[in-house]
Amino acid sequence: MTPDRLQLVLATLRAEPWPDDPVARATELEGLADANPRDALVREAVLQLARQDAAGHLVPDVVGGVRRERLVRWDAWTSTWDGWRVATGRAARVRVVERWANDPAHARALIRDGRAIRGLVPVTYSGEPWPALTADLDGAPVTSREVTWSAEHLGASVASALASLARWEAARVLPASIEASSLVHGPTGLHLSCLTPTDAFGCRRRITELSEVLLALAGPGDDPVRSVLEGMALMAPATTEEAGAFATRALAEDLAARRHRVVRRHERVVLEQRRAALGAALVRLQRACPPPIGRGALGVDLDGNVLVVTSDDDGVAWGPVGGDAHVVLPVGGPLDTREARRMLRSGAAAPPSAHLDVKVGGDPAFSSSIARWTSAAIRLRTLRRLLEVTGPG
């Protein structure tokens, strides 16, 4: 039994929260058992709660070179604790004999359990001052504050956890149960660390437990890996080989989806880089090609007034001689495309006239140059506006 599993059992027995005080909680649970003496679950919960409350009372604080801190698991004759190596300060796990420390039969049974999981967990036996199996965790339990669970690495975590369970199955032994505390996050991913072995005939149940733990750690989501975990939690395969095949297909699908997302993200980044480079090039081109300086005739309006365009330090403007000027490009301001197009239409509607240029003191070559510059400026502004409206967001 483990603390988490006992809490789940207690939660099913009544809707109200149980008291935090151990004595009050035990009293209420025994009252429930007295009222329901034929309920096997309640009877077992009473014994397990008493076993949890009494765990470690007779055991030294430091056993097998490990200082006990947190109860992880217990059974009828042992308890397992997480703690720290007194000599090195490394995280470690220790399983100790509870009531029969001086009984050679229980000490030998603990030694046999250590031999059963040798090669699966780096376990050592110590008989002084108390029979104990100890193992360095080579990482931290996924439930500890040191581990930040990342859903992005769910696929790798599933693969490493199933590989660890497959090694147990190949050795014809399994952990007594798989809880969140059984999973240790090490340099190579998740691996199982359990000092209480059982027979190898409950692999289906262990796969179910592993799937439930990983789903709880990963949280909600919609991806192929979570889908296969949900399926195995509801109807687990019989062996880790079958579970590995399901996980492999889910990982392949998840990897393909990740690749597509990376490709789309790369394409967006490249597109934004190209858009930014083109926008910067358009700005530089506009600054590098200012309007030509000069004065020229555009033609005659419907009232018989001569139209003239001027470009100087005050900007570009056009209009009838002696009348109001229409500003096409103010100093330091943007191009007025409406006036620019009106100016180009007026110039295109009348053929070049040297007589009009002489009359207004203009240059025929300037009239042609300013028309080309204005057309190009309109196109540049159109391109910049297109880049703005097709930008991100």
Side-chain angles (χ1 to χ4, degrees), residues 17 22 31-32 45 64 85 142 156 158 186 197 226 237 247 261 270 283 319 322 330 354 358 366-367 381 387:
L32 184 61
R85 292 279 186 189
V142 293
V158 171
R226 283 184 176 84
R261 289 196 295 270
V270 171
V283 171
V358 171
F366 169 77
S367 299
R381 187 183 182 282
L387 290 176

Side-chain angles (χ1 to χ4, degrees), residues 43-293:
R43 296 201 308 270
E44 181 65 20
V46 170
L47 295 177
Q48 292 296 340
L49 183 62
R51 183 72 182 85
Q52 180 189 34
D53 293 339
H57 285 186
L58 302 177
V59 182
D61 291 338
V62 178
V63 58
V66 176
R67 180 173 295 279
R68 299 183 297 112
E69 289 192 354
R70 186 173 66 88
L71 179 64
V72 174
R73 183 189 298 273
W74 65 88
D75 53 31
W77 56 288
T78 66
S79 61
T80 303
W81 303 77
D82 278 351
W84 304 91
R85 292 279 186 189
V86 175
T88 63
R90 295 186 61 181
R93 184 162 286 175
V94 56
R95 182 186 178 200
V96 298
V97 176
E98 285 273 349
R99 294 181 176 83
W100 301 275
N102 297 321
D103 180 13
H106 285 84
R108 289 193 296 269
L110 191 65
I111 293 174
R112 285 192 291 271
D113 281 356
R115 290 172 56 193
I117 60 176
R118 189 165 297 159
L120 303 171
V121 182
V123 65
T124 57
Y125 174 79
S126 173
E128 296 294 336
W130 208 270
L133 293 177
T134 62
D136 290 334
L137 290 182
D138 191 24
V142 293
T143 54
S144 69
R145 296 180 179 178
E146 301 175 20
V147 177
T148 301
W149 181 263
S150 173
E152 292 296 323
H153 300 98
L154 177 59
S157 299
V158 171
S160 58
L162 280 176
S164 179
L165 182 57
R167 289 192 292 271
W168 283 73
E169 184 187 23
R172 298 197 298 273
V173 66
L174 289 174
S177 67
I178 296 179
E179 316 287 339
S181 59
S182 306
L183 292 174
V184 177
H185 190 277
T188 58
L190 295 183
H191 62 273
L192 292 168
S193 179
C194 180
L195 304 183
T196 308
T198 187
D199 58 67
F201 298 106
C203 190
R204 188 189 301 273
R205 179 58 188 164
R206 299 292 90 83
I207 294 173
T208 299
E209 294 170 348
L210 178 61
S211 301
E212 292 172 346
V213 170
L214 292 175
L215 276 174
L217 291 170
D222 184 16
D223 56 73
V225 179
R226 283 184 176 84
S227 297
V228 76
L229 286 177
E230 291 172 355
M232 290 194 299
L234 293 174
M235 187 177 293
T239 65
T240 54
E241 183 178 1
E242 296 178 36
F246 291 141
T248 299
R249 287 194 291 269
L251 290 172
E253 187 176 345
D254 183 63
L255 181 61
R258 289 174 182 269
R259 181 187 181 279
H260 293 328
R261 289 196 295 270
V262 170
V263 169
R264 289 195 298 269
R265 189 181 304 118
H266 173 72
E267 291 175 347
R268 287 196 299 269
V269 170
V270 171
L271 180 61
E272 292 307 317
Q273 290 176 342
R274 291 177 176 176
R275 180 183 286 111
L278 179 56
L282 293 177
V283 171
R284 292 196 302 270
L285 180 61
Q286 186 176 14
R287 292 175 179 174
C289 300
I293 303 299

Side-chain angles (χ1 to χ4, degrees), residues 320-339:
V321 176
D324 295 332
H326 306 291
V327 179
V328 175
L329 180 67
V331 178
L335 181 73
D336 187 335
T337 55
R338 180 174 177 273
E339 290 297 334

